[in-house]
Amino acid sequence: FMVHYQPKVDLRDGRIVGAEALLRWGLPGHGDISPSQFIPLPEESNLILEVGEWVLNRVCEDYRTLQQTVTTPGRISLNLSHKQLRQVSFILRFRSVFRKHGVSPTCFELEITETTLMADSKRTLHLLDELYAMGLHLSIDDFGTGYSSLSALQQFPIGTLKIDHSFVRDVDDDESDATIVRTIIEMGRSLKMNVIAEGVESVGHLNFLRRHQCGFGQGK
């Protein structure tokens, strides 16, 4: 396994303000294997718990190294699976990893899908409140593809909405996608949340997002 870091950019001035940690599997003769191809396998078993913990340790170790050369590395985000949230010792494990590497939880953001957010929402709310109290930032990944409601957004301690790349991809040509992206940006701003657009791959994407005052962007 390897961890790659995809920059997150402030769309107002082009500054890199952080990154998303992306798990990759380097298979000899095949190159890097996409998570969409191999993650479902550990997801079907409890191996995803070990994988998730390995990623967290790797990212904390990398961040500690980065702090020695960069004054302000920004915030690194990691994806959080439903099975990790269901783990009994989940909070204790996270605390111990941060303590082990001597890094502050405030330097990290956990990305949670809408589906994970709404599964057993009462327990999830309790866990997210604990994570938020630790100093971790929380975001909804692939926003717009799930089924969370506005009332749910107000209940959970979420600070960031990530617009799914499937909506950003065709904002230049598809009025429906453009409307969805504009609406999410406006909603996030009204709720005083940061909004990040995923899949920013062209000047047209960038101009559209800047025109509608989307705060941040990253590639696909």
Side-chain angles (χ1 to χ4, degrees):
F1 285 147
M2 301 172 289
V3 176
H4 292 182
Y5 294 93
Q6 185 177 67
K8 293 183 180 181
V9 175
D10 188 323
L11 297 182
R12 293 166 296 185
D13 55 21
R15 288 184 306 114
I16 294 177
V17 294
E20 179 180 356
L22 301 171
L23 182 63
R24 294 292 183 267
W25 179 24
L27 188 61
H30 294 81
D32 291 351
I33 308 300
S34 167
S36 62
Q37 293 179 272
F38 69 84
I39 285 295
L41 298 175
E43 280 279 11
E44 292 173 5
S45 67
N46 286 332
L47 278 175
I48 193 64
L49 302 178
E50 295 178 46
V51 172
E53 191 158 338
W54 182 89
V55 171
L56 180 61
N57 274 281
R58 176 79 262 177
V59 170
C60 286
E61 188 176 330
D62 288 347
Y63 197 87
R64 183 72 171 172
T65 301
L66 188 61
Q67 284 180 312
Q68 297 171 11
T69 55
V70 180
T71 306
T72 310
R75 191 183 301 151
I76 305 297
S77 63
L78 307 96
N79 292 284
L80 188 65
S81 76
H82 177 58
K83 287 198 173 183
Q84 283 177 288
L85 271 176
R86 289 172 56 190
Q87 195 176 16
V88 175
S89 57
F90 169 68
I91 298 292
L92 291 176
R93 283 173 178 269
F94 264 63
R95 280 203 182 102
S96 67
V97 172
F98 292 131
R99 193 179 302 117
K100 170 186 172 183
H101 293 282
V103 293
S104 171
T106 58
C107 301
F108 302 94
E109 182 172 69
L110 297 180
E111 298 189 4
I112 307 159
T113 65
E114 290 180 84
T115 303
T116 298
L117 188 72
M118 299 309 297
D120 193 4
S121 59
K122 187 174 181 180
R123 181 175 182 275
T124 301
L125 175 59
H126 175 70
L127 288 172
L128 295 188
D129 280 340
E130 284 196 66
L131 293 169
Y132 183 76
M134 286 170 57
L136 283 158
H137 297 262
L138 303 168
S139 73
I140 299 182
D141 195 15
D142 302 336
F143 187 75
T145 61
Y147 54 91
S148 62
S149 64
L150 285 174
S151 60
L153 289 180
Q154 292 177 312
Q155 291 174 25
F156 293 100
I158 301 297
T160 302
L161 300 180
K162 293 192 74 175
I163 307 173
D164 188 67
H165 66 85
S166 63
F167 300 122
V168 176
R169 181 178 56 220
D170 297 319
V171 289
D172 294 332
D173 309 307
D174 191 310
E175 185 54 38
S176 295
D177 283 345
T179 299
I180 290 171
V181 172
R182 283 197 304 267
T183 301
I184 294 174
I185 293 171
E186 291 168 7
M187 182 175 66
R189 197 160 54 235
S190 298
L191 293 172
K192 294 181 171 54
M193 293 180 177
N194 291 323
V195 179
I196 298 179
E198 295 180 296
V200 184
E201 298 286 336
S202 71
V203 173
H205 294 160
L206 180 62
N207 290 339
F208 177 92
L209 294 167
R210 280 179 170 168
R211 190 162 63 247
H212 295 286
Q213 299 178 51
C214 181
F216 305 94
Q218 66 181 84
K220 182 178 176 183

